[in-house]
Each structure stands twice: as structure tokens, then as C-alpha cells.
Amino acid sequence: MKRYLRQISLVDEEKDGQKILLASSVLIIGVGGLGSNVCQQLVRLGVGEIGIVDFDMVDETNLNRQILYGEDDIGENKVVLAKKRLQTINSKVKINSYCMKFQQEMNIEPFKNYQIIVDCTDNLSSRKIISDVAKKLKKQVILGAIQRFEGYVTVLDPVNGYTYEKLFNNVKKEKFKDKSVIGPIVAIIAAMQSMEVVKSLLGWDRQLIGKCCYFDIQNNIFNEITLVGQKLENKTRGS
């Protein structure tokens, strides 16, 4: 437990939070920009079992933000590389890799035992599929999205009706479809996703269920948005 000494007082509070994290399991879908950051943070936090899902290979254009990979990794399988790197960071964490595309018509049996799903994908269709699968599995989804200098985080809770379609039912087309992105916003949104995972696992209040945290790194704008059907209530936290 020595490696967690600096965080134990923060995660324990009234109960043994670090032991809860060590006994927890999280599924991360997508190990690109967001996913490679989230994976590393959760491994360092001591989440006991992590599943990583991706089918992609490392491309040179990934290297400005996907922190698990380097120049020598171009053309290699992301989940294979990610598992190796993560195990060097914390050998006590169990890493399960799934080299596959997350699709609607697939066997969801391998994912039943994970407590939480973290959506680190980069397109609308994948987010809808993950939301549907999470509803079948009765799991929360920690969703992050990024584009250019902007990003947001929200928590889907399909058991209580907070699905992607319900929260974003005014989205006809993908707003975040420009593939331009700068590394620092990726790290910020991934950190927020990781913190939502901790909140969920430890049963803390103030989760972003039915809410969305939006951040514009270029203009220093941080908004908390309550998602109520097609109505959005903005609360600016800083500018």
C-alpha cells in the first residue's frame, strides 16, 4: 500500500476506499487519446482490474496526444502495446486486452463483470452502441468527448433512464466530428473521466449523472450543464 500513500487520506474518508479501488474493475473502450490517458491514471490509482478494448493500430498522427505510444510503435496494435506499458506502471493491476471493434451484434458476456464502462471513443455511432450495451449490462458509462480546444464529460446511468439518446436527444448530427485536437484538452477531459470513475466506485456524491461538464481550454471556460431533454441549463464555473 506504500505506493498509494499520498492518496489514501483522500480516497478513504469514512471507509477503506483504497481497498475498494484495488477490488474494483473498469472497462475502457478505446485506447486512443482519452483512453491512453484514462488507462494510465486508473492503473496508477490502483484500480484492481482493467479491460481495454480497441481494434486500431498506432499511426504517426496519434503521437501528439496518445501518451502510451511512441515513434517505434507506429503500425503496432494499440491494445497489445497498452497492456505491456500499463503492466510496467503497476504490475499488481490485472489488464485484460480485447482486440476487437465494439459493435451492437457481439458477445457481451466477457464484459458482464466490469463495474463501470468508460467511453473513450471518438464518434456518435460508437457512443450510441456503448449506451445500448450498457443498458443491457446495467452499467454506468463515463463518457468523454473532445474536439479542437473543447471537450466534455458526462455520466450515463441507463438503469435510471439516463441513456445517450435521452440526454442528447437534440443531437441530430455529431457536433464533435472535426478530428483536429490538441493534447492538453485530451489530458484534462481524461482526468475528469478518471475522477468520475473514482466517484462511482467509492459511492461519492456529485457525479455527473444527467449533467455535463464542458471545458474550453483556449478561452478558459468551464460550464456545468444540466441535461433535461432538449433544454440546457448552463452554470458557468469560470471564464
Side-chain angles (χ1 to χ4, degrees):
M1 297 288 276
K2 184 179 179 181
R3 71 181 299 151
Y4 309 115
L5 190 61
R6 298 293 184 182
Q7 70 189 45
I8 283 177
S9 63
L10 300 176
V11 300
D12 276 10
E13 294 192 343
E14 297 178 3
K15 53 187 177 182
D16 204 342
Q18 189 59 52
K19 287 187 177 178
I20 293 173
L21 292 180
L22 291 167
S24 298
S25 60
V26 177
L27 180 68
I28 300 168
I29 304 174
V31 282
L34 291 172
S36 58
N37 277 272
V38 171
C39 285
Q40 190 169 160
Q41 290 173 28
L42 295 186
V43 163
R44 292 184 186 277
L45 281 164
V47 173
E49 184 174 359
I50 292 176
I52 52 176
V53 182
D54 208 315
F55 65 95
D56 207 1
M57 305 294 176
V58 178
D59 184 83
E60 187 175 2
T61 60
N62 301 152
L63 301 183
N64 76 319
R65 66 201 181 280
Q66 299 187 14
I67 60 174
L68 284 176
Y69 318 118
E71 292 178 354
D72 292 341
D73 300 323
I74 293 172
E76 299 296 323
N77 186 283
K78 286 184 181 179
V79 290
V80 173
L81 290 169
K83 181 174 181 177
K84 288 179 181 177
R85 299 277 157 76
L86 295 171
Q87 288 178 326
T88 66
I89 294 169
N90 192 341
S91 61
K92 302 298 183 183
V93 173
K94 182 179 180 182
I95 310 292
N96 304 314
S97 60
Y98 306 92
C99 184
M100 58 179 288
K101 191 168 186 177
F102 209 81
Q103 301 177 86
Q104 196 83 54
E105 299 82 16
M106 65 177 184
N107 178 21
I108 62 174
E109 192 67 31
F111 311 121
K112 281 188 174 180
N113 293 327
Y114 291 99
Q115 292 168 258
I116 302 171
I117 298 172
V118 186
D119 184 348
C120 297
T121 60
D122 63 358
N123 62 84
L124 180 63
S125 59
S126 293
R127 290 173 194 143
K128 288 182 175 179
I129 290 170
I130 292 167
S131 177
D132 290 343
V133 171
K135 188 174 182 179
K136 294 176 185 176
L137 295 173
K138 299 181 179 179
K139 312 288 184 186
Q140 279 191 350
V141 179
I142 314 298
L143 168 63
I146 49 171
Q147 175 187 282
R148 296 176 62 81
F149 299 100
E150 305 169 76
Y152 72 80
V153 177
T154 189
V155 178
L156 308 180
D157 189 7
V159 173
N160 293 305
Y162 293 99
T163 62
Y164 187 88
E165 286 79 5
K166 182 172 182 179
L167 295 180
F168 296 91
N169 62 3
N170 59 330
V171 178
K172 297 282 194 296
K173 296 181 180 180
E174 179 64 88
K175 178 186 175 184
F176 281 16
K177 62 182 179 181
D178 183 341
K179 297 301 182 181
S180 303
V181 64
I182 195 164
I185 189 65
V186 179
I188 290 169
I189 298 303
M192 293 170 67
Q193 285 183 280
S194 300
M195 199 62 217
E196 289 302 312
V197 171
V198 172
K199 290 181 193 177
S200 182
L201 291 175
L202 299 183
W204 290 357
D205 294 331
R206 297 284 298 174
Q207 261 196 287
L208 291 170
I209 299 174
K211 296 183 178 182
C212 175
C213 267
Y214 164 84
F215 189 64
D216 177 344
I217 195 173
Q218 187 178 33
N219 297 301
N220 302 317
I221 296 172
F222 177 48
N223 287 343
E224 181 184 286
I225 303 167
T226 300
L227 302 167
V228 186
Q230 296 189 23
K231 299 178 182 178
L232 300 180
E233 301 170 1
N234 292 359
K235 298 178 181 178
T236 302
R237 295 297 188 186
S239 60

